[in-house]
Amino acid sequence: MPLRRVFIANRGEIAVRIIRACLQQGIETVVGVSVPDRESMAASMADRAVCIGPGSASASYLSQERLISAALGTGCDAVHPGYGFLAENADFAQLCSDNDLIFVGPTPDNIRSMGNKLEARALARKFEVPLAEGSVRITDFTHAEQIAGEIGMPLLFKAAAGGGGRGIRIVNQPADLRSAFDQAAAEAQAAFGDKALFMERYIENARHVEVQILADTLGDVVHLGERDCSLQRRYQKMVEEAPSVGLKDSLRSAIHEAAVRLSRNIGYVGAGTVEFIVDLDREDFYFLEMNTRVQVEHPVTEMLTGVDIVGEQLRVAAGLPLSIRQEDVRLDGHVIECRINAESPAKGFQPSPGRITAWTPPKGAQIRLDTHAYVGWTVSPYYDSLLGKLIVRGSDRAEALDNMAAALADFEVEGPDTTLPFLRHVLSAEDFRAGRFNTRWLEAFAPSFQALPA
């Protein structure tokens, strides 16, 4: 049954992105907005905007009852959660279903099984997806000490109940084990309400590579290639690109096949991303986690393949088959994405809320900008600092890098501080341009920007 009216339970650029996808399919949209977001771009674009509460996310974008009430009260037949907030909340997906609202995303069982990292690892092992050496559930330090002796240093503590970089600590030497355990457990308890951890061997020279998956209710699963998301700061991605750099074709194919195998065997439905860590020294890969939602960086893949991932989400939610088959997927050139955040790189990337007084983005045939920012918009301190995503293509990586450098140079923003100066610095780095980077590179590189003259 085609979707008629979709309620968007999110804000910012992803709300705008969903509205545009709905417009293309002739679907009406209602966006839920908090009080500070009443003048947002999404509110002006949707067929209707409904206030769902004050600025605090817990009283608005995270209030399941308010969102369901707003969706039902405006006659919507589906809910798109975007990313973040409730996008990977199985209870919310179930609540939508219980109220005869189609959840534009995977099933509650999909979300639950991949949301618990230990269950996800068990499923990966069952379906022969490679795993780094790791542990069972850990809740006390004595147990952690025993397992650390078996795995060896360095190792990682991770939260069993969730991801997103929270509850992670690297341990390089036994003397640091106790403090890392206590900090990771406390962070896991605060973020997920569950202090349980598990441990993995830490791979120092690694790349973060993720495979975009689409699956429909008829059992068809396709992959749209992979993205390299190794440029991260405090586990938050800043620059993504596709295809990933320097992977042998055999390794690339094995990663794709593993992602499809896992998705098919767990009966996955919708858009998802299977994330892997690639050990550059061993030339091998290991399962990290599966994100059961559309990713922030999905435009990289859309621009590379021409496939409308959000559009496919809407098709699958309506019970339609995917519009593409695996043999239809073509990779066109090389694509890079930079995240433009309202942050002050020179001040340790502190958030920089405030009113935007000038906003002049670059334009061109090889440039895409996903944003919700405009002149006069006030960046709120309540939410994440993402202003937009600049996505640029080239015929190969060298051309894409040159195009991105030029686009960043042309991008002018006044008002809040932004990450634009830092991104320009990254694009000029010889090691990045040569592909000599791993998941630790950006953290080590950042101080070189902060040392520049003001």
Side-chain angles (χ1 to χ4, degrees), residues 167-169 176-189 197:
I168 293 180
R169 290 293 183 280
D176 297 334
L177 194 67
R178 179 80 217 202
S179 61
F181 173 83
D182 290 342
Q183 291 171 19
E187 196 169 299
Q189 178 68 40
L197 306 173

Side-chain angles (χ1 to χ4, degrees), residues 253-326:
S253 296
I255 292 172
H256 295 168
E257 290 166 7
V260 171
R261 184 165 63 251
L262 178 64
S263 304
R264 180 172 287 120
N265 278 292
I266 65 172
Y268 194 77
V269 174
T273 305
V274 186
E275 300 194 342
F276 299 95
I277 199 81
V278 173
D279 187 329
L280 296 175
D281 296 329
R282 297 186 183 185
E283 293 191 347
D284 211 344
F285 69 99
Y286 308 97
F287 173 75
L288 274 179
E289 62 180 355
M290 183 173 192
N291 292 143
T292 54
R293 54 175 165 76
V294 67
Q295 294 275 96
V296 176
E297 58 269 28
H298 76 275
V300 176
T301 300
E302 290 190 329
M303 200 162 182
L304 188 74
T305 63
V307 175
D308 181 342
I309 293 171
V310 180
E312 294 296 324
Q313 282 190 298
L314 295 169
R315 282 182 60 88
V316 170
L320 299 171
L322 294 171
S323 70
I324 52 165
R325 295 172 296 181
Q326 190 63 62

Side-chain angles (χ1 to χ4, degrees), residues 4-320:
R4 184 179 53 84
R5 185 178 299 159
V6 170
F7 184 83
I8 300 165
N10 214 302
R11 63 176 303 280
E13 66 86 22
I14 191 61
V16 172
R17 172 72 186 90
I18 296 165
I19 291 168
R20 290 193 167 126
C22 288
L23 277 170
Q24 287 191 330
Q25 297 191 16
I27 301 170
E28 296 178 14
T29 53
V30 179
V31 63
V33 294
S34 66
V35 171
D37 281 340
R38 285 181 297 187
E39 305 299 323
S40 67
M41 184 181 288
S44 68
M45 290 176 61
D47 293 290
R48 185 175 173 186
V50 178
C51 189
I52 53 171
S56 168
S58 61
S60 52
Y61 296 105
L62 289 171
S63 173
Q64 299 186 30
E65 294 75 16
R66 289 190 182 202
L67 294 168
I68 294 294
S69 176
L72 293 173
T74 52
C76 292
D77 50 11
V79 174
H80 197 308
Y83 54 70
F85 294 129
L86 297 170
E88 292 181 285
N89 187 307
D91 292 340
F92 182 60
Q94 185 63 55
L95 190 60
C96 288
S97 178
D98 293 344
N99 283 278
D100 294 326
L101 291 163
I102 296 168
F103 183 76
V104 184
T107 67
D109 284 346
N110 288 159
I111 299 172
R112 283 194 187 92
S113 61
M114 291 294 108
N116 185 293
K117 302 311 171 191
L118 285 174
E119 185 175 347
R121 280 178 62 88
L123 287 168
R125 183 179 295 109
K126 178 179 179 181
F127 299 120
E128 300 181 347
V129 176
L131 288 168
E133 296 96 315
S135 75
V136 295
R137 180 182 174 93
I138 301 169
T139 55
D140 69 82
F141 180 68
T142 303
H143 192 194
E145 214 170 15
Q146 175 195 337
I147 295 173
E150 297 168 3
I151 295 178
M153 301 285 166
L155 55 82
L156 277 173
F157 280 117
K158 290 185 174 181
R166 289 170 292 184
I168 293 180
R169 290 293 183 280
I170 300 170
V171 187
N172 290 303
Q173 53 189 356
D176 297 334
L177 194 67
R178 179 80 217 202
S179 61
F181 173 83
D182 290 342
Q183 291 171 19
E187 196 169 299
Q189 178 68 40
F192 309 111
D194 181 355
K195 69 177 184 179
L197 306 173
F198 68 100
M199 298 161 78
E200 273 185 0
R201 177 173 65 87
Y202 177 57
I203 301 167
E204 295 182 271
N205 188 19
R207 289 264 182 81
H208 180 123
V209 174
E210 58 186 32
V211 181
Q212 178 68 58
I213 289 295
L214 291 172
D216 62 24
T217 56
L218 306 177
D220 288 329
V221 182
V222 301
H223 73 80
L224 303 181
E226 84 287 350
R227 298 182 287 258
D228 190 317
C229 305
S230 301
L231 266 60
Q232 304 178 12
R233 183 182 168 277
R234 296 183 179 176
Y235 306 109
Q236 299 301 310
K237 302 164 187 171
M238 295 192 73
V239 180
E240 300 99 348
E241 61 183 301
S244 52
V245 183
L247 285 189
K248 288 183 177 177
D249 288 345
S250 57
L251 185 59
R252 192 187 309 275
S253 296
I255 292 172
H256 295 168
E257 290 166 7
V260 171
R261 184 165 63 251
L262 178 64
S263 304
R264 180 172 287 120
N265 278 292
I266 65 172
Y268 194 77
V269 174
T273 305
V274 186
E275 300 194 342
F276 299 95
I277 199 81
V278 173
D279 187 329
L280 296 175
D281 296 329
R282 297 186 183 185
E283 293 191 347
D284 211 344
F285 69 99
Y286 308 97
F287 173 75
L288 274 179
E289 62 180 355
M290 183 173 192
N291 292 143
T292 54
R293 54 175 165 76
V294 67
Q295 294 275 96
V296 176
E297 58 269 28
H298 76 275
V300 176
T301 300
E302 290 190 329
M303 200 162 182
L304 188 74
T305 63
V307 175
D308 181 342
I309 293 171
V310 180
E312 294 296 324
Q313 282 190 298
L314 295 169
R315 282 182 60 88
V316 170
L320 299 171

Side-chain angles (χ1 to χ4, degrees), residues 41 340-342 356-363 369-377 379 386-390 410-416 418 420:
M41 184 181 288
I340 317 299
N341 295 330
I356 297 173
T357 55
W359 177 262
T360 310
K363 296 179 181 176
L369 179 66
D370 282 22
T371 185
H372 65 121
Y374 60 87
V375 175
W377 172 247
V379 180
L386 183 64
L387 297 179
K389 301 173 299 193
L390 180 63
D410 288 343
F411 208 145
E412 296 181 9
V413 180
E414 294 180 6
T418 74
L420 279 167

